[in-house]
Amino acid sequence: MGFFDLFKKKKTEEVVAGQPQAEVATSEEQTREQAAEAQEQAADRRELEAGLEKTKTGFFSKLARAVAGRSTVDADVLDDLEEVLITSDVGVDTTVKIIRRIEERVARDKYMNTSELQSILRDEIALLMEESNRREEDFGIEVKPGMPYVMMVVGVNGAGKTTTIGKLAAQLTKAGRKVYIGAADTFRAAAIDQLAVWAERAGATMIRQEMGSDPASVAFDTLKSAVANGADVVLIDTAGRLHNKIGLMNELTKIRNVMTKVIPDAPHEVMLVLDGSTGQNAFEQAKQFTQATKVTSLTITKLDGTAKGGVVIGISDQFHIPVRYIGVGEGVDQLKMFDRREFVKALFGDEKN
């Protein structure tokens, strides 16, 4: 092989399709990363669809019966649609709003057939729901350097509050964040023990006191320790049952006031956990807790075991509070960041809003 051939071979090795080898390798790596990300998104979509299957089946079977044999969207169809939405736990006020909007579209478009109804419903439902934080990093939480992000978690016993905290802690530690958990539900030994199991499983640090201790004291100790040890996120569990609404309000207010002595703007978020399978009872719980304290986000749990997933639509619309997470199964990865577009796709199929 002559000098020219050796030189040509060397240049060919260094340049592929006009690109240096380093650039080609980077491009291939990016392609692999994009493919992996696409596969992960597809898996998340399938899991969400599976979790909402009962809601989707129940809703569309009712909708199919409502429009059977009808060719146009008339008053009778709208009456039946109203019943479908209410019995799917969307809620009366939100249902009235949806029906009114569809009536306006029917009046504007003059002629509308029933096959268009699903697309219209999809559009209107997506518009009604509050947009949540769609940030992907740190499982949707805005962690900032220098001071831990503090989330106070509220909700009735049995709604999945402790489990949600555990799953959230696991997702955050998986993302490389240092998480502290405050066991401020000091009225139930079982809650503290369950939280301890989740904390150990997640690799988070839990701060606890004796059962019956002052919940505000637990919150104070947790924040002090978290600040001293450079934690990124603090999750504070709270009691799910107090004797009356005034007691609840006073307790939550006391916890908030005590936390500000350590971190002036804490808590940065108050997340209400609601059991989606309770349907309209979840509305009442949301009402009670939003009156007792300033709730800034929602988590709706247990959607995989119920046909009452329509409650997500109504609660988001009525309380104007974004849904941050939804629970669609028992697994740690089945606590999902809520995206109203993905939620609507899971219910109605893949079509652009």
Side-chain angles (χ1 to χ4, degrees):
M1 184 180 288
F3 173 79
F4 178 76
D5 293 325
L6 286 171
F7 177 77
K8 183 178 180 182
K9 181 175 184 292
K10 187 170 185 291
K11 293 299 290 182
T12 302
E13 289 174 349
E14 289 179 351
V15 181
V16 178
Q19 289 181 296
Q21 282 188 328
E23 287 186 19
V24 173
T26 301
S27 177
E28 290 175 350
E29 185 178 341
Q30 288 175 342
T31 301
R32 284 195 298 271
E33 287 176 356
Q34 289 170 351
E37 185 177 342
Q39 287 181 341
E40 187 176 340
Q41 289 175 346
D44 283 343
R45 172 80 64 79
R46 288 193 297 270
E47 199 165 43
L48 179 60
E49 289 173 349
L52 295 173
E53 184 61 33
K54 288 186 178 180
T55 293
K56 181 177 180 178
T57 301
F59 179 79
F60 284 112
S61 64
K62 291 175 185 176
L63 182 60
R65 288 195 297 271
V67 300
R70 315 282 183 85
S71 59
T72 61
V73 178
D74 55 20
D76 289 337
V77 168
L78 291 175
D79 285 345
D80 290 341
L81 175 60
E82 185 174 6
E83 184 179 344
V84 168
L85 291 169
I86 289 173
T87 56
S88 298
D89 287 280
V90 173
V92 175
D93 292 340
T94 302
T95 294
V96 169
K97 194 179 292 186
I98 292 171
I99 295 298
R100 187 184 302 125
R101 291 186 178 189
I102 293 176
E103 284 175 336
E104 290 171 358
R105 291 182 68 159
V106 170
R108 184 175 65 246
D109 298 342
K110 302 303 179 188
Y111 179 87
M112 186 178 295
N113 61 49
T114 53
S115 64
E116 295 176 85
L117 192 56
Q118 181 172 319
S119 177
I120 296 166
L121 270 174
R122 173 196 175 93
D123 292 345
E124 296 302 337
I125 286 172
L127 287 170
L128 280 175
M129 288 190 290
E130 289 289 310
E131 183 64 275
S132 58
N133 186 346
R134 301 183 66 197
R135 168 190 172 90
E136 295 294 328
E137 297 84 2
D138 297 319
F139 207 55
I141 291 179
E142 295 186 35
V143 179
K144 296 179 180 178
M147 195 63 70
Y149 183 93
V150 181
M151 177 188 287
M152 186 166 77
V153 185
V154 301
V156 301
N157 295 341
K161 181 161 51 72
T162 304
T163 302
T164 296
I165 292 171
K167 290 180 179 180
L168 181 54
Q171 292 281 5
L172 288 165
T173 54
K174 181 181 176 182
R177 294 301 180 177
K178 192 172 186 178
V179 181
Y180 269 60
I181 299 173
D185 182 358
T186 60
F187 300 110
R188 294 188 304 140
I192 298 174
D193 292 341
Q194 184 187 5
L195 203 58
V197 170
W198 270 110
E200 184 177 1
R201 189 184 302 173
T205 301
M206 188 177 102
I207 304 299
R208 62 188 292 178
Q209 292 182 9
E210 295 297 320
M211 184 181 169
S213 300
D214 181 7
S217 175
V218 177
F220 181 84
D221 286 352
T222 304
L223 263 63
K224 288 284 284 185
S225 183
V227 170
N229 290 283
D232 297 304
V233 180
V234 177
L235 306 173
I236 301 293
D237 191 14
T238 61
R241 180 179 63 82
L242 291 169
H243 296 303
N244 53 52
K245 192 171 70 179
I246 294 173
L248 173 66
M249 186 181 296
N250 291 341
E251 190 63 65
L252 295 178
T253 300
K254 184 179 178 182
I255 292 172
R256 293 182 69 132
N257 290 341
V258 164
M259 287 196 289
T260 60
K261 294 179 180 179
V262 183
I263 300 175
D265 56 348
H268 304 102
E269 182 174 348
V270 178
M271 186 170 72
L272 171 60
V273 178
L274 298 168
D275 180 350
S277 68
T278 62
Q280 292 305 298
N281 284 342
F283 275 91
E284 186 58 31
Q285 290 169 25
K287 182 179 178 182
Q288 294 294 324
F289 275 93
T290 52
Q291 288 175 350
T293 190
K294 182 176 174 56
V295 175
T296 58
S297 68
L298 300 169
T299 289
I300 315 291
T301 65
K302 308 180 187 180
L303 289 175
D304 56 309
T306 180
K308 299 177 183 290
V311 73
V312 177
I313 302 164
I315 288 177
S316 181
D317 169 51
Q318 290 302 304
F319 293 94
H320 301 290
I321 299 170
V323 178
R324 185 185 273 283
Y325 306 113
I326 56 173
V328 293
E330 294 297 322
V332 169
D333 293 335
Q334 289 175 312
L335 179 70
K336 302 288 185 183
M337 284 193 295
F338 180 75
D339 183 322
R340 64 177 180 176
R341 294 172 181 81
E342 291 301 319
F343 180 83
V344 169
K345 284 178 186 177
L347 286 181
F348 290 91
D350 199 354
E351 175 185 312
K352 289 186 178 181
N353 286 323

